[in-house]
Amino acid sequence: MPPSTEPPSATGTSLWRHRDFRRYLTGQAASVAGSSITQMALPVLAVLHLDATTAQVAWLAFLGQLPPALLALHAGALADRHSKRRQMITGDLVSAAVLATVPVAAALGTLTLTQLMVVAVVQGAASVLHDAAAISLLPSLVDRSLIQRSNSRVGSLLAVAATAGSHLGAALTALLGPARALLGDVASYLISAVCTARIQSAEPTSARPESRRLRGEIGEGLRYVRGDDRLWTLTLVNATTSFALGLLNTLWALYLLRSLAMSATAFGVVLGLGALGAAAGALTAPALSRRYGPGPMMLAALAITPLTQLPLLLASPGRAWQITIGAALFLQLACAGAAGTTQRSIRQIVTTAGMQARMQAVSTWLTSGARPVAALLAGALGTWLGVRPALTAGTLLLLVPLVVLARSPIRALRQMPDPPATLPSPPAARTAAPTVPTAACTDDGQHDRSLGGDAS
């Protein structure tokens, strides 16, 4: 078999020489870049063009984050049962179709906040299907000893794509307007679907009969995570981090664009700096884990994160504060990238092959379930107390995951854990057919389209 199609192993060829790996990464990088365009353009469209209030911005965030909370467990069980590639392509095509309705409605002069909310719900549901399948493929591709390195490489590349997307989103918003800028994200979904369809690797077949009730498989996944102290601790860290960031992210764009009078271009540049931080954190995570240990490294990252919110709370309008906020966001997402890559690698290493998607779905369900509640709380606090006090509350909540990790044995983990003793051989050892790599998200579960990344 030619070297370019050999599945990577602990002693094998580079991940980047894998043809299907490149196709998959191309699609995922395009999708992340497109998501950054939407992340840049949608707040501008809602706040500046549709004059959304604080409460309406909170409701928009709430509805966009509701589908993962409702559907993550089912999507994970389906991904463990059926073709992951087919599920990913379906999610991409639905997202492209529904997002395309926004520029069409804007051109016809009929765009409303109600339509944006409907689009947020449908696109959120489609993204759950896609991400549940995508994030659980990596452990079936590479040797367990390569999981952290693979997550690091993919996470850093996707963060670079997010940086490019933020700058592209700022340019498209300035040139075309925020509604037509969303066509860039529509194109990214189509590219992702085409690249996924071109992957030729055979997927591992499920050993479970499809006649089993989906509810039973969901319950099995919940019990599996709850029964492992390492998985449960890291899942709680993810959920509490997600709640705090959900509150902060709901009002972050509103605060910068309205209270600090930041321009759309400056907003895009700040988001781009954050994405570069995520890339740096993901890329350096393996080296930091080897030097300091994964437990102490994650603890330090969680301790630094609340401090990065202080410039935002103290800021006033002006170029100097914009630069300071951008630097703080770079550091925040560097911590998120390093900690997120490491904790996700630990969970993938200790989880058996047949439980990967459901393990991830439990984490996504809890972290995503925290975000709609956080969005509603942000809207209430922002309306009753003001935006700055609400952001202060979110900053204080970032101390909770630090306490959770500090009270667990994982805080002292000095090296990556061993895989399960009964772990079956990976597909690469059972068949000569190459397998499919998966892009790892930088924070947290699914590709997070809000500031701070994905904590799952």
Side-chain angles (χ1 to χ4, degrees):
M1 182 178 293
S4 62
T5 59
E6 290 178 359
S9 63
T11 59
T13 60
S14 167
L15 292 168
W16 307 114
R17 296 180 62 187
H18 210 280
R19 180 178 302 173
D20 281 346
F21 180 82
R22 295 196 302 268
R23 289 173 177 169
Y24 191 90
L25 267 190
T26 299
Q28 294 302 296
S31 180
V32 169
S35 299
S36 296
I37 295 175
T38 295
Q39 181 182 350
M40 166 64 214
L42 201 59
V44 176
L45 181 62
V47 174
L48 300 184
H49 287 254
L50 297 179
D51 199 26
T53 65
T54 300
Q56 288 171 328
V57 170
W59 271 105
L60 183 62
F62 169 78
L63 292 172
Q65 295 161 359
L66 188 60
L70 298 178
L71 302 176
L73 292 176
H74 298 80
L78 289 173
D80 271 340
R81 176 187 285 189
H82 300 297
S83 167
K84 292 178 174 62
R85 281 191 294 155
R86 187 179 301 116
Q87 189 165 315
M88 291 163 59
I89 293 170
T90 300
D92 281 334
L93 294 180
V94 171
S95 291
V98 70
L99 194 61
T101 66
V102 175
V104 171
L108 297 175
T110 60
L111 182 64
T112 64
L113 278 169
T114 300
Q115 179 179 346
L116 286 186
M117 292 177 182
V118 173
V119 168
V121 171
V122 177
Q123 186 181 7
S127 295
V128 171
L129 287 175
H130 176 280
D131 295 332
I135 201 169
S136 60
L137 281 175
L138 179 62
S140 67
L141 168 70
V142 299
D143 186 87
R144 294 293 167 114
S145 64
L146 289 178
I147 283 182
Q148 188 182 26
R149 199 181 86 186
S150 302
N151 278 329
S152 170
R153 299 295 186 271
V154 175
S156 60
L157 182 62
L158 296 189
V160 171
T163 303
S166 295
H167 292 301
L168 179 60
L172 291 176
T173 299
L175 293 174
L176 305 176
R180 283 181 287 184
L182 296 178
L183 290 173
D185 199 6
V186 173
S188 77
Y189 280 118
L190 298 177
I191 293 173
S192 177
V194 170
C195 290
T196 303
R198 293 187 63 199
I199 293 173
Q200 299 175 354
S201 302
E203 296 183 37
T205 56
S206 173
R208 300 187 314 281
E210 296 186 8
S211 59
R212 285 189 59 186
R213 292 175 62 87
L214 201 63
R215 182 180 301 177
E217 295 184 13
I218 291 173
E220 187 180 7
L222 288 168
R223 291 189 295 272
Y224 184 86
V225 172
R226 186 64 183 88
D228 189 303
D229 289 340
R230 297 164 298 182
L231 293 177
W232 185 239
T233 296
L234 293 175
T235 299
L236 288 180
V237 169
N238 290 339
T240 52
T241 301
S242 181
F243 185 85
L245 290 178
L247 194 157
L248 292 167
N249 294 344
T250 299
L251 301 176
W252 195 81
L254 178 72
Y255 183 67
L256 292 184
L257 293 169
R258 184 168 291 170
S259 300
L260 299 185
M262 185 177 289
S263 67
T265 300
F267 183 62
V269 171
V270 167
L271 292 182
L273 287 173
L276 284 177
L283 197 59
T284 57
L288 292 173
S289 292
R290 287 193 299 270
R291 180 165 183 175
Y292 302 106
M297 186 270 283
M298 290 189 293
L299 196 65
L302 289 177
I304 293 171
T305 299
L307 300 178
T308 63
Q309 291 295 125
L310 295 180
L312 184 69
L313 300 177
L314 301 173
S316 57
R319 181 65 58 83
W321 277 113
Q322 292 176 2
I323 295 173
T324 303
I325 290 172
L329 183 61
F330 177 94
L331 180 58
Q332 179 190 119
L333 293 195
C335 291
T341 295
T342 303
Q343 61 84 14
R344 186 168 47 254
S345 299
I346 292 172
R347 290 188 291 119
Q348 290 173 337
I349 288 171
V350 303
T351 300
T352 56
M355 298 297 299
Q356 286 288 339
R358 281 173 288 172
M359 176 278 293
Q360 180 58 44
V362 172
S363 180
T364 300
W365 174 58
L366 288 176
T367 56
S368 301
R371 291 170 187 165
V373 178
L376 290 181
L377 179 60
L381 293 176
T383 301
W384 296 336
L385 302 178
V387 175
R388 195 187 296 259
L391 293 174
T392 302
T395 300
L396 293 175
L397 287 173
L398 284 172
L399 296 173
V400 176
L402 173 63
V403 173
V404 172
L405 187 63
R407 291 173 59 86
S408 77
I410 293 179
R411 71 183 184 278
L413 189 65
R414 304 299 300 183
Q415 61 185 13
M416 299 300 286
D418 294 325
T422 57
L423 182 70
S425 300
R430 296 194 303 264
T431 176
T435 49
V436 187
T438 288
C441 307
T442 55
D443 184 14
D444 104 146
Q446 50 199 108
H447 296 308
D448 193 345
R449 293 167 179 261
S450 60
L451 176 68
D454 172 19
S456 60

